[in-house]
Amino acid sequence: MPKRILVPVDGSDQASAAATFVAENYPDAAVVFLHVINPAEAGYSAQASVPSFSEEWYQRKKSAAETLFDDLEAEARENGVEAVERVLEVGRPTQTIVEYAEDHDVDQIVMGSHGRSGVSRILLGSVAETVVRRASVPVTVIR
């Protein structure tokens, strides 16, 4: 039975490397690309208080995610992956990734790491590190 692999993607080179890793090493797997739109990124600027800003911001993020999905899916299919799903969620990335894996019969998570260290890692946290600690399925981190 083929694996169901969750690949969280954010447009970074590291996320692309994770997608490539899965396509090259698990061509028979069902690959789920998950992009999480984090509403906290909308910020609290003066623009954010304009009623149409949040909808416009969300539409831009959604459009960017679809373009990202198109590129990743094309690469996966070039490597022989036939089963590709696209999932767009809104929420906190770490929580959304872990919950999606638990709720959708995911066998493994493969994700990129930004490779931060020192103070920046402490201040900004690490999505990959948090997912590794909280996920109930194996997590492979690509750097």
Side-chain angles (χ1 to χ4, degrees):
M1 182 171 161
K3 280 186 156 184
R4 183 169 164 83
I5 300 177
L6 179 64
V7 183
V9 295
D10 62 1
S12 67
D13 291 341
Q14 295 84 356
S16 180
T20 299
F21 176 86
V22 169
E24 291 174 351
N25 291 284
Y26 301 100
D28 294 334
V31 178
V32 180
F33 292 123
L34 170 66
H35 181 76
V36 181
I37 296 176
N38 186 354
E41 291 178 5
Y44 297 99
S45 66
Q47 271 187 321
S49 64
V50 176
S52 64
F53 174 77
S54 60
E55 184 62 29
E56 291 170 10
W57 176 86
Y58 174 74
Q59 289 303 325
R60 283 194 309 273
K61 290 291 189 179
K62 186 176 174 185
S63 177
E66 290 302 326
T67 300
L68 175 61
F69 285 147
D70 290 343
D71 295 344
L72 293 172
E73 184 174 348
E75 181 182 346
R77 293 198 186 282
E78 285 176 13
N79 283 300
V81 176
E82 293 182 23
V84 177
E85 291 179 51
R86 305 167 168 215
V87 178
L88 182 63
E89 296 281 339
V90 175
R92 290 182 47 221
T94 53
Q95 181 179 355
T96 304
I97 293 165
V98 170
E99 287 176 0
Y100 186 90
E102 289 174 356
D103 296 343
H104 294 89
D105 297 323
V106 167
D107 298 304
Q108 181 177 356
I109 300 170
V110 177
M111 62 189 302
S113 170
H114 289 282
R116 291 187 185 103
S117 61
V119 174
S120 68
R121 189 178 128 243
I122 293 168
L123 294 175
L124 299 173
S126 169
V127 172
E129 182 180 353
T130 303
V131 170
V132 166
R133 282 189 279 125
R134 294 184 180 167
S136 60
V137 297
V139 180
T140 301
V141 179
I142 306 298
R143 285 187 59 170

